[in-house]
Amino acid sequence: MPSRGARPEDGSGQVPTDNSTQHKEDLSSKIKEQKIVVDELSNLKKNRKVYRQQQNSDIFFLADRTEMLSESKNILDELRKEYQEIENSEKTKIKK
């Protein structure tokens, strides 16, 4: 499960194009990764165990599969929303 790091600014400020492009590529990569996590959790059998890694350590704890799936879907939705906001801000910059 990918860790949730500190989220960058919500894009309300003016960001140079290079940083914006890099951020967009990073988001795209995270979205692909999160899709895989959601798919893997969705396809697990009911009796399979799921473990969550403790942040900044090599310790794993038993977690609820449905809770992890729900959380992963929420993270995916947030990433998609952020990506869409960047897309929309780029479109408005082009129109100006």
Side-chain angles (χ1 to χ4, degrees), residues 37-54:
V37 171
V38 169
D39 286 344
E40 290 291 331
L41 287 171
S42 298
N43 292 322
L44 279 179
K45 293 181 181 177
K46 302 276 186 208
N47 62 347
R48 295 294 182 182
K49 293 183 180 180
V50 176
Y51 294 88
R52 162 179 269 165
Q53 185 174 7
Q54 182 69 27

Side-chain angles (χ1 to χ4, degrees), residues 17-65:
T17 308
D18 294 338
N19 288 343
S20 178
T21 304
Q22 180 63 38
H23 182 62
K24 189 175 170 183
E25 290 174 2
D26 290 344
L27 274 176
S28 179
S29 174
K30 287 179 183 179
I31 288 171
K32 288 178 186 175
E33 184 177 309
Q34 199 63 30
K35 281 181 183 178
I36 292 169
V37 171
V38 169
D39 286 344
E40 290 291 331
L41 287 171
S42 298
N43 292 322
L44 279 179
K45 293 181 181 177
K46 302 276 186 208
N47 62 347
R48 295 294 182 182
K49 293 183 180 180
V50 176
Y51 294 88
R52 162 179 269 165
Q53 185 174 7
Q54 182 69 27
Q55 206 169 17
N56 299 326
S57 97
D58 292 333
I59 300 172
F60 291 83
F61 292 101
L62 188 60
D64 181 46
R65 185 185 64 84

